[in-house]
Amino acid sequence: MKLNLAQSLREEILTILAQCRQSTLNVLARIDLVQFYQQAHPDFSPVGWHLGHIAFTEAYWILEYLAGLPPIFPEYKSLFAADGLPKSQRQYLPAPEIIQNYLNIVRSKVIAYLEIAPLESQERLWRWLIQHESQHGETIALILHLWGDRSTTSTTEFNPVTPAMVTIPAGEIYLGSNRIEAQDNERPVTLVHLDSYLLDQYPVTCKEYKIFIEAGGYQNPQWWSQGGWDWLQANSITQPLYWDHLPSDYPVYGVSWYEAQAYAQFAGKRLPTEAEWEKAASWDLVKNKKYDYPWGDIPPTCENCNYNLNLGGISPVNAYPLGRSPVGCYDMLGNVWEWTASSFSGYPGFESYPYRGYSQAYFDGKHRVLKGGSWATRSWALRTSFRNWYYPEVRQILAGFRCAQ
């Protein structure tokens, strides 16, 4: 029986590795040389660098760290290590076919090692690696979005959205996850008490945000924090980054934390804490139970959320009634990431994994937590406990928000 379980896990990991890699290669097949080599924005490395970094990271953690093998391409360390070259110097890359060959060579050796790997003691690292590739796959998608690759954005219309708020009663919840795939910053599970609050049933839509723009929201300092107003004046911003031609009931996105906070102030509301967001997304008040997903413990499908580039862009906030959370909130996973009021920090008892730089280096009080994933998030990085984080001025990511009271 133990042998069967080990073999089943080996086959599961092999299948996920193949599925995740195919999603990565699908991107490589459709980009041009400008997108491959050049930066779309100073804060993001070129697509080609991300592809090489995926191969480098897989080789380091599986072949060197676990299998004890010597580096197979030591000349790539300075180029593709996360702490190597500055982003501005990552444009001098090998040709696309060489990068693809690098990916293939590393993967063939990884699969060979998987046949003998003691997964009972290594499973967490293998699942971390799959999520690492998933996260860089999403970064590639947003880079292509910055390049203007938005031709496949969904334009399906649904019934008009009527904004509403859901009441979540006071009580204790468990924040985070101890599952094998949970990242270090999701651990350990933490019991927290929340007072009663209201949360938007849907992410803020373009129709709602347009009211803020037309009311002079970007010109009125009363809605902005001092840091937000200083940022706004320094950058002469008058609307979200991804604002053109978006239907009214689609979520606003391409907004910074500062913009989300200013809108919430304008609307007489506030941004939710990440604990408030996670309770609304995952907690069944009737059964007093927490779920991995808003709809339960079954992994996502095309029926319950917009993820994994299935639509190639955003969708109406009411498009997935089967994905509603137990308290009745829509779009808690997929479509757009959602800013929260919370600073990114470790839960009590936090232990870094697999290295300090993955999460702990960002516990600086400057990064804000985002929850929920986007239309480009792969299933292995999509769950209610997953935490993303960025500086409050960043607006290039696929992020929107909802408000609380």
Side-chain angles (χ1 to χ4, degrees), residues 46-161:
V47 169
W49 183 89
H50 285 278
L51 295 168
H53 175 71
I54 288 169
F56 172 82
T57 303
E58 185 169 307
Y60 174 78
W61 286 107
I62 302 299
L63 301 181
E64 296 180 44
Y65 183 78
L66 292 182
L69 299 174
I72 55 175
F73 290 97
E75 66 273 22
Y76 284 157
K77 181 175 182 180
S78 62
L79 175 57
F80 291 126
D83 58 355
L85 298 174
K87 291 183 175 67
S88 61
Q89 296 179 28
R90 293 175 177 177
Q91 302 182 61
Y92 308 105
L93 298 163
E97 57 271 20
I98 294 177
I99 296 288
Q100 183 159 1
N101 190 49
Y102 181 29
L103 285 160
N104 293 340
I105 291 172
V106 170
R107 177 51 60 87
S108 65
K109 292 181 179 296
V110 164
I111 290 174
Y113 175 66
L114 178 61
E115 289 298 317
I116 59 170
L119 290 180
E120 64 276 4
S121 61
Q122 296 181 357
E123 181 183 358
R124 185 181 178 189
L125 188 55
W126 285 85
R127 293 194 183 277
W128 176 86
L129 189 75
I130 290 163
Q131 291 179 79
H132 175 268
E133 180 164 344
S134 297
Q135 289 170 271
H136 280 275
E138 178 164 0
T139 301
I140 289 171
L142 83 84
I143 292 169
L144 295 179
H145 213 55
L146 288 169
W147 278 116
D149 183 7
R150 301 170 203 167
S151 59
T152 54
T153 296
S154 168
T155 56
T156 304
E157 289 286 359
F158 287 78
N159 293 328
V161 172

Side-chain angles (χ1 to χ4, degrees), residues 90-266:
R90 293 175 177 177
Q91 302 182 61
Y92 308 105
L93 298 163
E97 57 271 20
I98 294 177
I99 296 288
Q100 183 159 1
N101 190 49
Y102 181 29
L103 285 160
N104 293 340
I105 291 172
V106 170
R107 177 51 60 87
S108 65
K109 292 181 179 296
V110 164
I111 290 174
Y113 175 66
L114 178 61
E115 289 298 317
I116 59 170
L119 290 180
E120 64 276 4
S121 61
Q122 296 181 357
E123 181 183 358
R124 185 181 178 189
L125 188 55
W126 285 85
R127 293 194 183 277
W128 176 86
L129 189 75
I130 290 163
Q131 291 179 79
H132 175 268
E133 180 164 344
S134 297
Q135 289 170 271
H136 280 275
E138 178 164 0
T139 301
I140 289 171
L142 83 84
I143 292 169
L144 295 179
H145 213 55
L146 288 169
W147 278 116
D149 183 7
R150 301 170 203 167
S151 59
T152 54
T153 296
S154 168
T155 56
T156 304
E157 289 286 359
F158 287 78
N159 293 328
V161 172
T162 301
M165 299 193 84
V166 173
T167 301
I168 293 101
E172 293 182 326
I173 67 155
Y174 288 103
L175 189 65
S177 173
N178 288 333
R179 293 175 61 91
I180 190 69
E181 63 269 27
Q183 302 284 23
D184 60 359
N185 59 68
E186 297 173 68
R187 300 165 177 252
V189 165
T190 302
L191 184 65
V192 297
H193 176 85
L194 296 176
D195 293 333
S196 178
Y197 61 100
L198 301 174
L199 188 71
D200 285 347
Q201 189 173 25
Y202 307 99
V204 171
T205 63
C206 293
K207 177 170 57 180
E208 294 173 283
Y209 200 87
K210 185 179 180 182
I211 297 172
F212 173 64
I213 295 175
E214 293 182 343
Y218 280 88
Q219 291 77 43
N220 192 336
Q222 79 176 99
W223 310 125
W224 299 79
S225 65
Q226 187 60 55
W229 185 250
D230 292 344
W231 168 82
L232 188 67
Q233 300 312 298
N235 293 279
S236 302
I237 289 167
T238 59
Q239 63 183 31
L241 182 60
Y242 308 125
W243 183 244
D244 298 336
H245 312 302
L246 291 179
S248 60
D249 287 337
Y250 283 52
V252 63
Y253 77 121
V255 292
S256 67
W257 184 85
Y258 289 135
E259 289 166 283
Q261 184 193 43
Y263 172 89
Q265 181 79 3
F266 168 81

Side-chain angles (χ1 to χ4, degrees), residues 383-395:
R383 52 185 174 272
T384 57
S385 59
F386 194 93
R387 308 169 77 199
N388 195 358
W389 64 92
Y390 274 97
Y391 286 116
E393 67 269 20
V394 174
R395 64 205 302 260

